[in-house]
Structure formats: C-alpha cells, structure tokens
Amino acid sequence: MHSNSGRPAGGEDPFQEGSGSILRQPMAVWATAGAAVVAFMGIGLVDPILPSIAKGLDATPSQVSLLFTSYFLITAVAMLVTGFVSSRIGGRRTLLTGLALVVVFAALSGASSSVGQLVGFRAGWGLGNALFVSTSLAVIVGAASGGSAAAILLYESALGLGMACGPLVGAVLGDLNWRFPFFGTAVLMAVGFIAVTVLLKEQPRPARKTSLLDPVRALGHGGLASAAASAFFYNYAFFTVLAFTPFVLDMTPYRSGAVFFGWGVLLAVFSVLVAPALQKRFGSLRVLGGSLVLMAADLLVLGYGGHTTAVVCTILSGALIGMTNTVYTELALGVSDAPRPVASAGYNFVRWFAAAAAPYLAPKIEEWTDVRMPFVVAAAAAGAAALIVLVRRRSLTPEAGEPRPEHGRGDHAARTGAAGAVNAADTAAGADGAGGREDSGAGAGDSGADSGGRDGREWPAAAARPSGTG
C-alpha cells in the first residue's frame, strides 16, 4: 500500500534521514556535483550560438537544429540502457564512462568541419550525458553526509546553476568562435573525470540486474502511459522554444545568452519553489493543466508578437516549463505500480522522442509555411497535452491528482528537492535522474521498499537501486 505521495506506507521516508548542512560534504560529492553543473550546462550551451554555427558551417536552421535531434534521440534510447549498464558495472564506472564519452565527443564537436559531423558527435555526447546524469544523483546521495535531503538539494543546485549558466558560457565563448564552447566543455569535463577518478570510491553493486524491457513493461499501466503521452506533446512545445526560438530572435550570442539565462533562472525557481506551493493549494492536475494552457497561450503570443514580445514570452516560458516539469515528474514517479526508476525510464523513453522531433520539424514547418506556424503547432501540442490530462484525469488522480496532506518540514524539503532533481531529467537529458530519486532512497535509507512488488506484482530488486547505491 502506498500513500498519495507515491511512497511506501507504513515505513520511514528515506528522504527524511539526516539534516546536515548542504555545504559539509566529502570532496567526492563536490567533484560529482561540479561535473553535474557542466553536464547540465551542455544542454543550453548551444542555444546562443546556433545562428553562428549555421553561418560557420554554411548550414540551414533545420540542419543545425539536428544538434538537438541527435542528442535527444540517443537520450531517449539510452533511457532503456542506463539502468541495465549501471546494474552490471556499478555507479562509479557508469559515471566515468559517461564523463569520458562527453569529453571525447565534445572535443570532436569543436573540431567538426561539417554539420553532419557535428550532428553525429553531438549524438555521442548525448549518450555520455545520459549515462552520467542518470547515475550522478544516486552517487551523490550514496557518498554525501548529512542525509539524502541535503544531497538532493545539492544536486538540484547543480542543476539550476548549470541550466542558467550554460547559455551565458555559450555566449561568451561563442562570441569568440563557435567552436570554443565545445572545447571548453571538453576541458571542464576532463577535469571532472580526473576529480571523480581520484576522489570517488566504487559504489556497491545491486544484488539483481535491471532488464532492458522493464521500462517498456511499466508503460502497460494506464496512468503512466497517459502521463507519458501527455508529456510527449508537452516536450514538443518545450523544445520548440529551446531549439527554434534562437533563430527567430536573431540576436548576438551575448544577447541570446542573456535571454536564455533569464529563462533558466525562472525554470529553476518555479520548478523548485513555486510549483510545490501551488500543488499544495490547488492539486497537481489543476496546476499541470493550467500551466499547459498558459504555455499554449504564451507560444501563440510569441509567434504573433513583435521582437520585444518574443523575448519576454521566451523568458516567461521558463516559469511555465519549470512548473510543468515538476508535476510531470511526480506523476511519472507516483502514478503507477512500477518501481520509480523503472517508471521514470519508461516515461522518459516516450517523451524524449518529441524532444528529438521538435528541433528538426520546427524549422521545416517555417520553410513550408511562415515563421509563425511552428509556434502555432507547438501551442497545439501543449493544448493536446492538457487535453490528455483532462480526459485521463481519473487514471492520473489516484497518486498525484489531489492536494497532498501536510508533511514535516524535512519531508517537504526532500520532496521538493527530489522532484526538482528529476527535472534535470526533464530539461537536462538526464531525466533518468528521476530514477535517482529511488536510488537515493535505497542508498540512504536502505529500505528497499520499492524493490519488491506493488499490488502483488514482482519487480527486480535491482530496478529500485540500479546505480549501485547499496
């Protein structure tokens, strides 16, 4: 039996363990968190320099947008692989493998001589980032002092810092040369690789291994399938903003970086602070539906407004995306009977395909029609996501649809941090950091509550603790 928050009833919440300072952490935790900042920076890094890349490689917007398509297509497939890999080689080796892949492919991206090469290398980068981000939260929780709540807040801080600073770093380095952001990422991740190698000890491996098909089987649950379908359309709208808007704004790297810095700040603040407060008052499904409707309206105004209006709407969309990400995360983790990392992987497997499609289709739609139509299509996608929530609200309600009961301060902070951390996943391609939420519970509390069956259904114990957190 489970409570409305999606946690096992009758047991102590592992996220309530410890209340130590977030700053008093072992060096291994700081090394992993620092690498996480750079990993999340890599998502928005290319936004300010997309027009510069197109000019430098003599490519069209649709060709350059494949940088996102290849990245997230690999990320979608990797959702089926990360748990499989980490349950076999351990969290530390998975982490280092991901870091090594990012270093190699980021450097190769900077050395690309054609847009085709850049797109291919960006795909390899996506695989490395997926392996790293899907494991980093669990590793941080396993190595942190002061309890898992402090560790999750540290991870969330790394997420917010990376998402906000990525566009700025891309702008500063990209203004010199579009290749420099890629080389800079490779250097920073190489430093992270060395630090993690030296400071982080091997994590215990799980007793049982995760199957590649577990996430697909989890989608047989109607509530999880509904959440994934709705998130698929939402992600199309989200990544139309992220990948296509820079071409519409047509600004210098510095100005574009400033716009997306504001976008990233609002995303982090509304994801971690505002969304939980609104959920408590109005209920998750009302917040989700309202955010999606407002996002559809924002996209229409962005498409049909002037340049200043487009800038304002782009920044404001960060607030709506932040709130929406948080609610989708809690739906994915709490609505089904699957272990949370397995449910998260299945959910992310579906929705990242839309993240891969939007960056390619939006410029194509502009070529076929006009500059407004990509935003009309994105607004329609957000509306479709809201409609699915409305029609399927009964299947989405049991675990996450109603206002949650009051919890202690420690539980509220942990729940907020955990949901926000998984949003990395929503925005950072490591959305399998959602899996880390259960990993962290297993690692810190060792309750293993989700490793057994829910409602009499057996799931592999390793699925609840795929990253070797103990």
Side-chain angles (χ1 to χ4, degrees):
M1 182 176 177
H2 282 64
S3 70
N4 284 347
S5 61
R7 296 188 184 88
E12 184 177 349
D13 189 339
F15 287 107
Q16 291 185 355
E17 295 201 1
S19 58
S21 170
I22 189 176
L23 300 178
R24 297 177 181 175
Q25 301 296 341
M27 288 303 297
V29 173
W30 288 115
T32 307
V37 171
V38 182
F40 295 130
M41 281 172 52
I43 304 300
L45 189 78
V46 299
D47 268 321
I49 59 173
L50 286 176
S52 299
I53 293 173
K55 183 178 180 180
L57 294 177
D58 193 25
T60 65
S62 61
Q63 288 176 320
V64 173
S65 293
L66 288 173
L67 294 176
F68 285 100
T69 296
S70 61
Y71 186 98
F72 288 114
L73 186 62
I74 294 299
T75 297
V77 177
M79 292 301 102
L80 303 180
V81 176
T82 53
F84 177 87
V85 171
S86 64
S87 67
R88 284 160 174 78
I89 68 174
R92 180 176 180 272
R93 291 181 180 177
T94 304
L95 205 67
L96 291 174
T97 299
L99 284 169
L101 288 173
V102 172
V103 170
V104 171
F105 285 104
L108 290 173
S109 296
S112 299
S113 59
S114 69
V115 69
Q117 289 181 354
L118 185 55
V119 168
F121 294 143
R122 201 37 195 173
W125 186 343
L127 175 60
N129 221 40
L131 289 171
F132 173 80
V133 175
S134 67
T135 312
S136 58
L137 175 58
V139 169
I140 288 175
V141 170
S145 62
S148 57
I152 290 169
L153 290 176
L154 178 63
Y155 180 88
E156 177 61 20
S157 299
L159 183 161
L161 183 62
M163 289 300 297
C165 292
L168 282 182
V169 173
V172 172
L173 296 179
D175 192 55
L176 302 174
N177 189 296
W178 69 263
R179 300 178 187 273
F180 288 175
F182 299 111
F183 290 139
T185 299
V187 171
L188 291 174
M189 287 303 251
V191 173
F193 180 92
I194 295 171
V196 170
T197 300
V198 173
L199 298 172
L200 182 66
K201 297 179 180 179
E202 183 57 77
Q203 305 291 296
R205 298 186 188 182
R208 298 181 62 184
K209 296 178 174 65
T210 302
S211 166
L212 287 172
L213 294 180
D214 283 349
V216 178
R217 294 191 187 104
L219 290 170
H221 186 279
L224 183 61
S226 299
S230 178
F232 176 89
F233 288 102
Y234 155 71
N235 261 34
Y236 184 93
F238 172 12
F239 284 93
T240 296
V241 173
L242 191 62
F244 180 65
T245 304
F247 293 106
V248 176
L249 298 181
D250 193 24
M251 303 168 79
T252 65
Y254 276 113
R255 292 178 180 272
S256 182
V259 169
F260 281 95
F261 173 74
W263 172 88
V265 169
L266 287 184
L267 187 152
V269 169
F270 275 75
S271 173
V272 179
L273 301 178
V274 178
L278 292 178
Q279 285 176 272
K280 181 179 177 181
R281 179 166 184 176
F282 299 108
S284 292
L285 296 186
R286 289 189 181 93
V287 173
L288 179 59
S291 296
L292 289 168
V293 170
L294 288 175
M295 187 172 179
D298 180 82
L299 286 165
L300 288 175
V301 176
L302 196 163
Y304 281 89
H307 189 269
T308 301
T309 301
V311 169
V312 172
C313 288
T314 298
I315 296 173
L316 290 179
S317 70
L320 301 173
I321 288 169
M323 289 192 295
T324 306
N325 284 348
T326 292
V327 182
Y328 272 127
T329 294
E330 294 199 0
L331 287 177
L333 295 182
V335 76
S336 79
D337 56 357
R340 280 175 279 190
V342 174
S344 170
Y347 159 80
N348 286 307
F349 173 70
V350 172
R351 72 188 184 92
W352 285 121
F353 280 108
Y360 177 74
L361 291 178
K364 285 294 185 183
I365 293 172
E366 181 197 16
E367 293 175 12
W368 298 331
T369 55
D370 59 43
V371 72
R372 299 182 180 88
M373 192 53 62
F375 295 105
V376 173
V377 174
L387 182 62
I388 292 174
V389 172
L390 175 65
V391 173
R392 297 288 296 169
R393 63 187 180 278
R394 290 184 180 274
S395 66
L396 294 171
T397 295
E399 293 290 349
E402 297 303 321
R404 300 181 186 275
E406 291 285 347
H407 294 283
R409 182 178 301 176
D411 178 61
H412 173 72
R415 179 172 67 86
T416 301
V422 180
N423 291 339
D426 289 11
T427 318
D432 207 30
R437 177 178 175 180
E438 183 63 14
D439 297 343
S440 58
D446 201 28
S447 64
D450 275 77
S451 42
R454 293 184 181 178
D455 301 328
R457 190 176 189 176
E458 282 296 324
W459 288 87
R465 290 152 60 172
S467 298
T469 54

